[in-house]
């Protein structure tokens, strides 16, 4: 009969073996190419969207208007994005965006998990802000 320490060691080894698969799954960069809605249904016209092109460029916006543009790539389970945007692009206050004339460069990292053909859930971060997001494939 296994001792308690032996059982705990076995359970710890099992979790260690399963952890990389549970955290992220290797997917081809082609998986990300396309039109996505962020935290919304594809039919919602005023939702945040992300358009990732096969040439490594992307646009982010709302209501069909690009608010940020940049470059994307995947590396070690992470979707890396460098973008040029107005600071107000990351606030839900459209009046501030309308008066914004400066642009800054931002880095966003997205760690996707729970993939299927229609989308994925992810942890995303820009600067010191992090949150959970759901990307849904559209069009």
């Amino acid at each position: 009969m296994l001792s308690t320490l032996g059982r705990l060691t076995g359970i710890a080894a099992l979790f260690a073996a399963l952890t990389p698969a549970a955290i992220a799954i290797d997917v081809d960069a082609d998986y990300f190419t396309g039109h996505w809605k962020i935290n919304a249904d594809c039919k919602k016209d005023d939702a945040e969207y992300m358009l990732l092109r096969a040439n490594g460029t992307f646009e982010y916006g709302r209501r069909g208007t690009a608010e940020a543009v940049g470059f994307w790539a995947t590396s070690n389970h992470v979707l890396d994005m460098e973008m040029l945007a107005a600071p107000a692009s990351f606030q839900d206050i459209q009046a501030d965006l309308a008066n914004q004339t400066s642009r800054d460069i931002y880095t966003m990292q997205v760690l996707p998990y729970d993939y299927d053909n229609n989308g994925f859930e992810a942890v995303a971060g820009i600067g010191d802000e992090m949150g959970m997001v759901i990307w849904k494939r559209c069009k």
Side-chain angles (χ1 to χ4, degrees):
M1 185 163 190
L2 285 176
S3 70
T4 302
L5 180 59
R7 278 187 241 133
L8 290 176
T9 303
I11 291 170
L14 178 61
F15 280 124
L18 293 176
T19 298
I23 291 174
I25 299 169
D26 261 337
V27 294
D28 190 289
D30 291 339
Y31 172 85
F32 295 105
T33 301
H35 189 265
W36 301 85
K37 291 286 176 115
I38 312 299
N39 295 328
D41 186 86
C42 291
K43 294 177 183 177
K44 189 171 180 183
D45 291 334
D46 63 343
E48 293 176 88
Y49 73 88
M50 191 73 74
L51 175 60
L52 278 67
R53 297 181 189 91
N55 68 359
T57 64
F58 76 91
E59 72 178 59
Y60 159 86
R62 287 177 257 199
R63 297 174 190 85
T65 301
E67 296 178 9
V69 295
F71 301 96
W72 71 277
T74 58
S75 175
N76 297 322
H77 308 293
V78 176
L79 179 59
D80 292 307
M81 307 175 94
E82 295 284 328
M83 66 187 81
L84 181 64
S89 295
F90 306 112
Q91 300 172 9
D92 287 329
I93 303 169
Q94 292 299 315
D96 287 349
L97 180 62
N99 296 324
Q100 190 62 247
T101 58
S102 69
R103 302 285 184 257
D104 291 317
I105 296 174
Y106 296 90
T107 299
M108 180 168 76
Q109 292 187 311
V110 180
L111 178 59
Y113 62 92
D114 197 16
Y115 296 87
D116 67 26
N117 290 333
N118 298 315
F120 59 88
E121 293 182 43
V123 176
I126 297 177
D128 61 353
E129 298 291 323
M130 290 189 70
M132 302 293 294
V133 293
I134 299 172
W135 288 38
K136 293 189 179 185
R137 185 182 305 281
C138 302
K139 297 184 183 178

